[in-house]
Amino acid sequence: MPENQRIDLLKEQVSFLEARLTRYEELLHGSTLKRIIFGGGRRAKLSIFEIVIGLIVLLYTLFRIDLSLIFAVIVILSLIVILFPALQLNVIRKKNGKEKYQRMIDSLKAEKASMDKELTRLIAVKNGLE
């Protein structure tokens, strides 16, 4: 592989690492909700959506349906629909703690330092050859 192409590829990888590093630093210093939404993946977003749907059903039931057996069943089911995703979000919150992002940041910084050293070496070799 030509030296210029290797240098350009390494620069691109370093910029990609810097972008990831910036994102993880924002998540580390951001709110818990931000860490859940952006660090929890699809499951976290779906759980939040399920909670909203459960609340809508519960509120509609409370204001529109007369007291009866159907009312009780709908209220119980909507509470279950709200509580289950809430438990899932709690697990996601615990899995996406600040320590996780700090470890990722430390790892990315070490990897970036290694790539910067290699980039410096390649540039020095290239300049030495010219």
Side-chain angles (χ1 to χ4, degrees):
M1 181 183 285
E3 291 296 319
N4 286 341
Q5 192 175 3
R6 285 183 64 194
I7 291 172
D8 290 341
L9 181 64
L10 204 52
K11 284 181 181 178
E12 186 178 319
Q13 289 175 344
V14 167
S15 68
F16 178 71
L17 270 177
E18 288 172 346
R20 284 181 57 200
L21 191 60
T22 302
R23 178 173 182 223
Y24 287 133
E25 285 175 343
E26 287 174 0
L27 288 174
L28 175 69
H29 301 298
S31 67
T32 303
L33 183 62
K34 189 174 184 179
R35 276 197 305 276
I36 289 172
I37 292 173
F38 297 111
R42 261 187 239 142
R43 183 68 241 170
K45 292 175 184 79
L46 189 59
S47 292
I48 291 172
F49 185 68
E50 289 171 355
I51 289 173
V52 169
I53 295 296
L55 286 173
I56 290 170
V57 169
L58 181 65
L59 291 174
Y60 181 80
T61 303
L62 291 175
F63 292 119
R64 294 290 183 172
I65 297 180
D66 295 329
L67 294 175
S68 66
L69 182 62
I70 294 174
F71 173 82
V73 169
I74 292 174
V75 168
I76 290 170
L77 289 176
S78 63
L79 288 175
I80 290 172
V81 167
I82 292 169
L83 290 176
F84 183 70
L87 290 173
Q88 287 180 328
L89 285 176
N90 191 35
V91 169
I92 291 170
R93 179 187 61 85
K94 288 180 182 177
K95 286 170 61 177
N96 291 326
K98 289 188 174 192
E99 303 83 28
K100 173 187 173 183
Y101 292 107
Q102 189 60 54
R103 282 192 313 269
M104 293 171 107
I105 288 170
D106 293 342
S107 172
L108 287 173
K109 283 183 179 177
E111 191 175 343
K112 183 180 178 293
S114 171
M115 284 184 167
D116 283 339
K117 191 192 302 185
E118 178 67 15
L119 185 61
T120 305
R121 186 189 69 76
L122 285 174
I123 290 173
V125 168
K126 179 185 169 203
N127 290 338
L129 293 176
E130 291 179 13

